Amino acid sequence: MPHLHMEYTANLPQLNADVALIRLNNTLVGSGQFAAEFDIKSRAVKVETFKVGTAMAERAFVYVKLALLSGRSPQIKKQLSESLLAVLQELCEWPAGVEVQLCVELVDMDRESYSKTAIGV
């Protein structure tokens, strides 16, 4: 916990997913909401086939979903969402002529049913 999923469209070649993930993880650590930095698990998926809307104009997106254990206040979740969005905005030089949408969604995982163990620690 938490689990961060980032999806981004293939027409964003200047987006370095490794850099993006470490910056997003560092932002989560800096929030003070998580007990240990190694609890944060993130992954990125480049989306090769996509469509944004119906226009023929070139468009792109970066979507981050943060799944975290239930129980945080709406204010804390909003703060986390806004801080992750700020990181997305500063990730790279976005391509000229491409409408890029940056999105962050926070979802609660049921605290009572979440199970985890660490092996080799």
Side-chain angles (χ1 to χ4, degrees), residues 14-111:
Q14 54 281 80
L15 177 62
N16 182 321
D18 288 329
V19 170
L21 292 179
I22 196 65
R23 290 187 61 196
L24 292 164
N25 285 3
N26 282 331
T27 297
L28 293 175
V29 169
S31 73
Q33 289 296 309
F34 309 103
E37 54 82 23
F38 62 82
D39 285 337
I40 301 167
K41 291 157 289 292
S42 61
R43 71 279 278 156
V45 175
K46 183 190 296 186
V47 180
E48 296 289 342
T49 305
F50 64 93
K51 187 66 179 164
V52 179
T54 60
M56 296 307 292
E58 188 173 10
R59 295 175 172 164
F61 66 82
V62 180
Y63 165 74
V64 168
K65 177 175 77 172
L66 180 65
L68 44 96
L69 292 177
S70 57
R72 287 180 176 78
S73 71
Q75 295 83 6
I76 293 294
K77 290 192 270 188
K78 180 69 171 168
Q79 183 180 35
L80 288 168
S81 176
E82 289 175 350
S83 64
L84 293 173
L85 184 60
V87 170
L88 293 181
Q89 290 174 304
E90 298 172 359
L91 279 180
C92 63
E93 288 293 321
W94 300 106
V98 178
E99 181 183 325
V100 181
Q101 295 184 31
L102 307 175
C103 315
V104 176
E105 175 186 20
L106 268 66
V107 296
D108 284 334
M109 296 184 297
D110 182 51
R111 187 176 291 272

